Amino acid sequence: MKAIIDGIRIAGLRAVVPPQRHSFVEDPGMFTVEEAKKLAATIGVQERRVLPPPYCASDLCIAAAEGLMQQLGWDPATVEVLVFVSQDADYVLPATACIMQHRLGLPTSAAAFDVPLGCSGYVYGLWIAAKLLGGSTAKRALVLCGDNATRHLHPEDRATLPLFGDAGSATALEVDAAAPPIPVVIGTDGAGAPHIFVKAGGKRHCLIPPVGTAGRIADEEAAAQLERDSRLTLNGAEVFSFTLRAVPPLLREAMEHAGTDVEGIDRFVLHQANAFMLEHLRKRVKAPADRFVIDMQGFGNTSSASIPLAICHSMGAQLAAGPVKTLMAGFGVGWSWGAMVAELGPMPEPQVVDLSEGYPVLAV
């Protein structure tokens, strides 16, 4: 599917990460020293940020939103759209976005809701929020993207544990008749659902027995299976195959939809899945290395937050000077994918900030 966003500009970005760090290079754990070094060189992750309990992804996003609104000089009362993109909601219900609206002091006239997407979620969130602004009386929106992926990982899973990190982000959008159009391309193929998967937790495969049963897990094996089903499973070969099959055509289609080509794009910022995969994609579309962002060395794969985090970390000064024609593309779990070409900046310099010690937990 293709769409065009008209009359909306991206006014600012901010990312917040946990101060807690872990490096398999410095602390190999289940790996040998040589294995850890080789793995880091391949996936492009030297260390990850790990969010400890009781904090959740929403806390990182709230801190990012507060800092961003202060940086932009926005009164929270002027923000009437809040989209929270995350696979890590605080509760089954209510929607985490409702709690965020209250915490941030947004007006009760605001639309606030969750979008439970992962790797493609940033593009989806921007598209949804922009279309809501374009079709309503609202003038400003916040798109909050973040995941607490490390809490899904099995402590003995060599495939996922070194890769994923935690982060939250906030992106501000506002109505601006002079803003250049933003072309968007979106797609979905649910046949890929089993290949990046957390089986337990929803109603199809509950973590607790259904109402009316004995209420206890009968044996240790059943308990162990439930523990396994609550962790992330990732089929690396299938993910790599999907990525090489779907993403180069996505990037080409997005550029064609925008009426440009590789030479017309100032920066390519893709979901920071892993460096090996990103380098393959760069070569497939013949993008110059100096315009293709690979920036996950200090953070890991942060799911829905990876694109805004990479922008804040690697493009801050460039966006302060702006404008920068940027191709943003997310792809993965679902399978789900989306890309857009947007002129970013000039804007207040995007920043990556550590969550402050003692930051209050978002809870009811």
Side-chain angles (χ1 to χ4, degrees):
M1 184 187 72
K2 296 178 182 178
I4 296 285
I5 297 170
D6 284 312
I8 307 295
R9 77 180 186 99
I10 297 174
L13 299 94
R14 191 177 188 89
V16 172
V17 294
Q20 292 82 4
R21 304 164 185 255
H22 179 261
S23 169
F24 280 96
V25 177
E26 298 175 3
D27 180 16
M30 72 185 82
F31 301 98
T32 67
V33 172
E34 288 305 313
E35 284 176 333
K37 290 180 178 179
K38 184 177 180 180
L39 183 64
T42 300
I43 64 176
V45 179
Q46 292 290 322
E47 68 177 17
R48 311 164 301 135
R49 300 299 184 98
V50 180
L51 186 67
Y55 290 107
C56 295
S58 60
D59 298 301
L60 297 173
C61 290
I62 284 288
E66 290 173 338
L68 180 58
M69 286 193 290
Q70 183 177 19
Q71 184 184 35
L72 294 174
W74 280 16
D75 182 345
T78 66
V79 179
E80 290 190 285
V81 173
L82 188 157
V83 180
F84 177 51
V85 182
S86 179
Q87 295 174 128
D88 294 309
D90 286 18
Y91 308 103
V92 173
L93 54 91
T96 306
C98 295
I99 305 167
M100 295 171 125
Q101 172 272 334
H102 178 69
R103 172 78 171 270
L104 287 169
L106 306 190
T108 55
S109 59
F113 56 92
D114 295 357
V115 175
L117 284 172
C119 315
S120 65
Y122 185 62
V123 172
Y124 266 86
L126 293 180
W127 169 55
I128 292 167
K131 284 299 184 181
L132 286 173
L133 288 179
S136 70
T137 59
K139 301 299 181 186
R140 287 175 170 170
L142 288 172
V143 177
L144 308 183
C145 290
D147 280 289
N148 183 200
T150 61
R151 227 165 281 173
H152 292 294
L153 308 180
H154 194 284
E156 297 178 359
D157 187 351
R158 294 164 62 94
T160 61
L161 201 62
L163 180 59
F164 289 93
D166 302 327
S169 69
T171 303
L173 292 83
E174 67 179 351
V175 173
D176 181 351
I182 302 175
V184 184
V185 178
I186 295 290
T188 310
D189 179 6
H195 301 307
I196 307 177
F197 199 40
V198 177
K199 185 174 182 179
K203 294 299 186 290
R204 184 70 63 189
H205 194 78
C206 292
L207 284 171
I208 57 175
V211 174
T213 69
R216 291 180 176 274
I217 299 174
D219 55 66
E220 291 184 4
E221 175 55 34
Q225 183 62 49
L226 204 54
E227 160 66 13
R228 289 191 292 270
D229 289 345
S230 69
R231 302 292 189 171
L232 175 69
T233 60
L234 185 148
N235 185 329
E238 288 291 343
V239 172
F240 190 70
S241 176
F242 153 73
T243 301
L244 294 188
R245 180 176 70 250
V247 178
L250 169 67
L251 302 182
R252 296 187 190 104
E253 187 176 9
M255 287 186 281
E256 181 182 356
H257 189 33
T260 190
D261 57 17
V262 170
E263 292 306 313
I265 301 296
D266 297 320
R267 298 289 285 225
F268 295 80
V269 188
L270 277 58
H271 165 54
Q272 303 292 290
N274 71 63
F276 180 76
M277 186 181 294
L278 289 171
E279 184 61 21
H280 271 269
L281 294 175
R282 183 189 71 79
K283 291 176 179 177
R284 285 286 184 97
V285 298
K286 300 180 179 179
D290 62 347
R291 288 191 274 133
F292 194 93
V293 174
I294 301 179
D295 187 358
M296 55 189 299
Q297 180 175 349
F299 304 108
N301 178 334
T302 56
S303 192
S304 66
S306 78
I307 293 174
L309 176 60
I311 291 173
C312 290
H313 192 247
S314 65
M315 294 172 57
Q318 190 178 11
L319 292 184
V324 182
K325 183 167 282 191
T326 306
L327 193 162
M328 298 174 280
F331 50 88
V333 58
W335 307 125
S336 175
W337 58 89
M340 60 173 51
V341 177
E343 285 195 11
L344 302 180
M347 64 176 64
E349 184 170 340
Q351 300 175 9
V352 179
V353 179
D354 282 5
L355 188 70
S356 60
E357 185 178 352
Y359 188 81
V361 173
L362 177 63
V364 295

